[in-house]
Amino acid sequence: MPSRRTLIAAGAVAVAAGGAAFALRPRAPVQRPPGVPVGPFGAKSTAEEVTAGLDLSGRHYLVTGANSGLGLETARVLALRGAEVTVTGRSVEKVAAAVRGLPGRFRPVALELTDFDSVRRCADEVAAAVPQLDGLVCNAGIMELPELEQVRGLEKQFVTNHLGHFLLVNRLLERVVAAPQGRVVVVSSGSWRRAPPAGIEFDNLSGERGYDPAQAYGQSKLANGLFVRELARRLAPTAATANVVRPGVVLTNLGRHQPLKDFT
């Protein structure tokens, strides 16, 4: 089994990476508000270490983009701890092949985030299969497409990374709230800082005005964060929570359009 490293974001959510983690550039110390607890885990902790001792029997999770990288490792360890995990990919065959042979219970479901009809079908299939979702992990995404690509006239990264997951979460939110302590986890990125200085350019969602791969990706990640912030506010009266996770720099298929030097 190849080594897998975990990069932890602030809060109680940990996401583990498939493959080796590369050294990060030096950063200033993280400033935390007084009273915020700091866990014992770090960049070298594995997903299995972070979840050691957990019994997730009887719980159900959904992980998007579970055919490789962070999504696959997240699904693998959730299932290892006893949970039933719905794993999604662009095709049932692709995601089923990814989890074949892994211990645990998996339910492969097709999900193409750029196809809103596919998102609806996925949500309807999951809602019909499970009465509650203990966790919905929005992990799938694309990054820094070299050339402008559009879906229904909208820039593709914004559609894939934000709108598709926005629709999926809203269609399954009743199942999350029905769980004793349901969680929505959206995987974002520190690249939200690369979004346009004024924020999301609602007058340029097509991306046609001055398309920049990094800025478009950053805009989609900013949208993730703003979505989760508002969702958390709306969930405050319930037992459910919403968190956005920054996993750090990890060499997975997500960065296939980036040169290797960007990871070192």
Side-chain angles (χ1 to χ4, degrees):
M1 179 74 65
S3 64
R4 295 175 169 90
R5 300 201 180 274
T6 308
L7 297 171
I8 311 296
V13 181
V15 178
F22 282 67
L24 301 180
R25 298 178 179 87
R27 294 181 182 274
V30 175
Q31 300 297 317
R32 294 183 175 87
V36 174
V38 179
F41 306 109
K44 294 185 178 181
S45 303
T46 67
E48 292 189 24
E49 291 170 346
V50 172
T51 60
L54 290 181
D55 181 3
L56 300 181
S57 301
R59 301 191 186 187
H60 192 101
Y61 294 82
L62 186 155
V63 181
T64 70
N67 53 285
S68 67
L70 295 171
L72 178 58
E73 179 67 354
T74 300
R76 181 188 75 84
V77 177
L78 289 172
L80 186 67
R81 300 305 180 213
E84 182 179 7
V85 186
T86 295
V87 286
T88 76
R90 288 192 174 98
S91 71
V92 171
E93 294 76 18
K94 186 174 183 178
V95 72
V99 299
R100 188 173 296 127
L102 296 179
R105 295 176 298 157
F106 299 94
R107 177 184 287 110
V109 177
L111 172 63
E112 172 51 72
L113 288 165
T114 60
D115 181 347
F116 296 156
D117 291 332
S118 173
V119 177
R120 293 188 186 96
R121 287 192 297 269
C122 173
D124 291 347
E125 182 175 341
V126 173
V130 298
Q132 64 186 42
L133 269 177
D134 295 277
L136 172 50
V137 183
C138 300
N139 162 79
I142 56 177
M143 181 179 184
E144 298 191 17
L145 302 181
E147 303 294 334
L148 173 63
E149 297 183 38
Q150 295 176 324
V151 178
R152 303 187 183 197
L154 301 174
E155 194 275 318
K156 190 174 183 179
Q157 293 179 88
F158 193 80
V159 175
T160 304
N161 299 345
H162 171 57
L163 293 180
H165 281 129
F166 177 89
L167 179 59
L168 181 70
V169 169
N170 277 281
R171 291 187 73 89
L172 288 173
L173 197 56
E174 287 186 5
R175 292 293 187 271
V176 175
V177 173
Q181 192 179 17
R183 298 177 180 181
V184 175
V185 179
V186 178
V187 180
S188 187
S189 167
S191 290
W192 67 267
R193 295 183 179 88
R194 298 182 179 180
I200 296 173
E201 295 183 335
F202 289 101
D203 62 343
N204 187 35
L205 292 182
S206 68
E208 293 175 347
R209 187 178 68 233
Y211 175 73
D212 176 84
Q215 189 174 79
Y217 178 68
Q219 177 168 267
S220 73
K221 297 291 99 178
L222 175 60
N224 287 159
L226 294 174
F227 166 49
V228 169
R229 182 170 183 172
E230 175 61 19
L231 180 60
R233 186 188 69 82
R234 297 189 183 196
L235 289 175
T238 76
T241 59
N243 287 278
V244 64
V245 172
R246 175 187 173 186
V249 180
V250 186
L251 186 61
T252 68
N253 290 337
L254 179 67
R256 58 186 173 273
H257 297 301
Q258 291 182 285
L260 185 61
K261 65 178 179 63
D262 287 357
F263 292 92
T264 58

